[in-house]
Amino acid sequence: MKYWFQIIILSLMVTSCDYFKAPKKPKAIARVGESYLFESDILNLVPKGTSKQDSISIVNSFIERWATQKILFEAAEKNISKEKLDEFTILMEQYKVDLYTKAYLENLVIRQIDTVVTENQIVDYYNKNKQYFKNSNELVKLRYINLVKENPKFAKIKSKFSSFTTKDKKELEQMAIQFKSYAFNDSIWVDINQVFEKISFINLENKQKYITSGMNFQYPDSTTVWLVKVNKVLPKDSATPLEFLKPTIKQIIINNRKLELINTLEKEITNDAIKDNNYEIYK
């Protein structure tokens, strides 16, 4: 019995020693004044799979940047006037208030905002504001195909591209794997800059030669042939068509709803504070 009692006492003493040990301090890897950079601050700094040499470079760059910022900050605190520091303190406090309130209101708005915009609402907004919508560039409706010169079905493809009935379009779509690039939706407006990106031989200098309403042409380059049909061109500064603006108008309507909802929420929150005697103005 005495033997077991001694073992228990010894175990308690060992446990007590561990309990009263000071917690292990984090390992510092750099110091500027009273500020320390610890190993834990750079744990996830280096992406997995990075070579040893690149890892060292990344860590060294981070330490140097951290040290430079700390040194400059401490120098600024000592050398900037008290009036300027007080001004910065006010700005930082205001930024904190703005950041918190913006995040809070956005969270409330996300829960309550109605994001459904009907076709009638879009048309109504467009009709009321049509005078403000002008093209900054030409808008174009066109279709095109780019295919290799040696394609054995070239004549058939060209014929169907030219007539472009519903049946022809469907057959061309089934053959599309043979084309280097193509676009068949010639009922939508696209910005002229998108045309420059997609059809490589057309640019700002020669657009008048190729981009004209009703134009249908074939253009060979070194290895391929382009078939292009321009349905319509809308000049710069014309009234922008509704179909081109629909996504933009929808977003404008939703943004306007957000602003209205934010104003409503701010008033409701303020009124609630007054009712709860949490806000009052002393006269």
Side-chain angles (χ1 to χ4, degrees), residues 115-117 122 245-255:
T115 57
V116 176
V117 181
I122 291 174
L245 287 169
K246 279 184 179 179
T248 301
I249 292 176
K250 179 180 178 180
Q251 194 56 54
I252 290 172
I253 292 172
I254 292 174
N255 287 341

Side-chain angles (χ1 to χ4, degrees), residues 144-147 181 198-201 217-221 224-228:
Y144 67 85
I145 294 176
N146 181 221
L147 69 165
S181 64
K198 300 296 183 180
I199 307 179
S200 57
F201 66 89
F217 64 92
Q218 177 179 320
Y219 179 91
D221 58 24
T224 68
V225 178
W226 292 84
L227 302 175
V228 182

Side-chain angles (χ1 to χ4, degrees), residues 247-279:
T248 301
I249 292 176
K250 179 180 178 180
Q251 194 56 54
I252 290 172
I253 292 172
I254 292 174
N255 287 341
N256 287 342
R257 288 177 185 174
K258 285 182 179 179
L259 292 175
E260 291 175 5
L261 183 55
I262 287 172
N263 289 333
T264 300
L265 289 169
E266 287 176 345
K267 290 176 182 177
E268 288 177 352
I269 292 169
T270 303
N271 290 335
D272 288 342
I274 294 172
K275 290 177 183 177
D276 296 338
N277 202 29
N278 195 34
Y279 165 49

Side-chain angles (χ1 to χ4, degrees), residues 92-106:
M92 286 188 291
E93 285 299 318
Q94 185 58 53
Y95 177 72
K96 180 180 177 181
V97 170
D98 292 342
L99 197 64
Y100 278 42
T101 53
K102 182 183 177 184
Y104 175 60
L105 286 171
E106 283 182 350

Side-chain angles (χ1 to χ4, degrees), residues 201-214:
F201 66 89
I202 300 177
N203 53 51
L204 191 62
E205 286 71 33
N206 65 20
K207 66 177 181 179
Q208 298 300 331
K209 180 179 178 181
Y210 297 109
I211 305 299
T212 304
S213 294

Side-chain angles (χ1 to χ4, degrees), residues 117-130 133 240-257:
V117 181
T118 67
E119 186 75 16
N120 287 340
Q121 289 170 329
I122 291 174
V123 172
D124 184 57
Y125 187 92
Y126 175 78
N127 289 334
K128 289 178 179 178
N129 299 277
K130 189 185 296 185
F133 296 120
T240 310
L242 173 60
E243 56 265 36
F244 186 79
L245 287 169
K246 279 184 179 179
T248 301
I249 292 176
K250 179 180 178 180
Q251 194 56 54
I252 290 172
I253 292 172
I254 292 174
N255 287 341
N256 287 342
R257 288 177 185 174

